[in-house]
Amino acid sequence: MVNTYALKKTLSSLCSPYFILNGIASVLHPIVRWTPGFCEYFGSSCQLDFYECEIYFFVICVVVIKNRKSVSIESYLSTLYMFAKGASLILFYKMDIQLCLWYLLLCVVLLVAIKPPVLDESSEMKYFVDDSLPQVLRDNPEVTWIVEFYTTFSPHCNALKPVFAALSREYTHEYIKFGKCDVLKAYGVPEMYGISSSCLKTELPAIIIFENGKPAARIKQRMNGKPYVMTYENLKRDLLIQDFYGRALEKAKLKSKKKKKTN
């Protein structure tokens, strides 16, 4: 069954200035090479030569390999744009150094001025950027916490953003809360729960579900030495999120019954 809301959000994201302008920048080199007037001005024929074809073929191979575990179309396109612009920079340098500098300036402007679309996550998402997570778990044992341990520079963590946002949007409840813990800022906290904050390891992102203040389920980027594909359906199934959500609904019902009896 197609998730209509998720499809609409994906289409809305792809129509944002970030994806449109970066997409145009990624294909600017072939446009210049194939457009009559431009290609003759730079003293070349309006066809890709063997060296340029090699570069583009190499980019295609790298993107396919890098994105074989991609969990969203946004992540796939972001990786494609990054390598395509890198290849275009090299090829523009081959054509004309001045043109290369103008293209480099364009890429810098896009990087600084055009930000990726804001994720539609739960308004109650809590960000742990200090050592407060253990205290929050102790103070709210009746609440089930689903916490992602991440770092901002990890491509795997960035790829998980729309997936975790969708989960938080759907399952946030009075007795289920979502949080994100920056492993570089929450010093010592990840290690308390068996998560390494070392950039040399590939277990981030990791998601732990805390029930009654203690870890009840967990998923890491690498499970049993193999990479784990963190799609929406995989996480929902393997973390038993629906079961935790069902127990949260039961708690809410019991609370409602107690209130009625006291009244």
Side-chain angles (χ1 to χ4, degrees), residues 79-195:
T79 304
L80 174 62
Y81 291 164
M82 179 180 66
F83 283 100
K85 286 186 290 186
S88 295
L89 194 63
I90 295 171
L91 296 175
F92 274 129
Y93 177 79
K94 178 175 176 289
M95 288 177 62
D96 183 80
I97 182 62
Q98 188 176 2
L99 194 60
C100 174
L101 293 175
W102 278 111
Y103 185 75
L104 177 61
L105 178 62
L106 172 65
C107 291
V108 171
V109 170
L110 288 176
L111 179 65
V112 174
I114 308 299
K115 300 300 181 182
V118 178
L119 295 173
D120 185 14
E121 62 189 15
S122 168
S123 59
E124 297 182 30
M125 176 78 76
K126 183 172 179 61
Y127 285 83
F128 298 97
V129 292
D130 50 27
D131 59 356
S132 61
L133 175 59
Q135 186 63 45
V136 170
L137 295 175
R138 285 193 295 269
D139 293 344
N140 303 275
E142 73 283 357
V143 175
T144 296
W145 280 90
I146 302 178
V147 181
E148 176 197 349
F149 292 83
Y150 74 102
T151 183
T152 53
F153 59 78
S154 167
H156 295 297
C157 294
N158 290 328
L160 182 62
K161 284 181 179 179
V163 176
F164 197 71
L167 287 170
S168 72
R169 190 173 57 245
E170 182 170 349
Y171 289 104
T172 293
H173 182 271
E174 179 184 2
Y175 290 107
I176 289 189
K177 304 296 182 183
F178 283 77
K180 302 184 73 170
C181 180
D182 189 329
V183 299
L184 297 182
K185 294 180 179 179
Y187 183 75
V189 173
E191 285 77 10
M192 293 174 61
Y193 306 109
I195 303 295

Side-chain angles (χ1 to χ4, degrees), residues 29 33 48-58 87 89-95:
H29 176 263
R33 289 290 282 112
L48 297 178
D49 59 29
F50 182 75
Y51 176 77
E52 291 169 324
C53 290
E54 272 190 324
I55 292 292
Y56 280 122
F57 182 73
F58 175 75
L89 194 63
I90 295 171
L91 296 175
F92 274 129
Y93 177 79
K94 178 175 176 289
M95 288 177 62

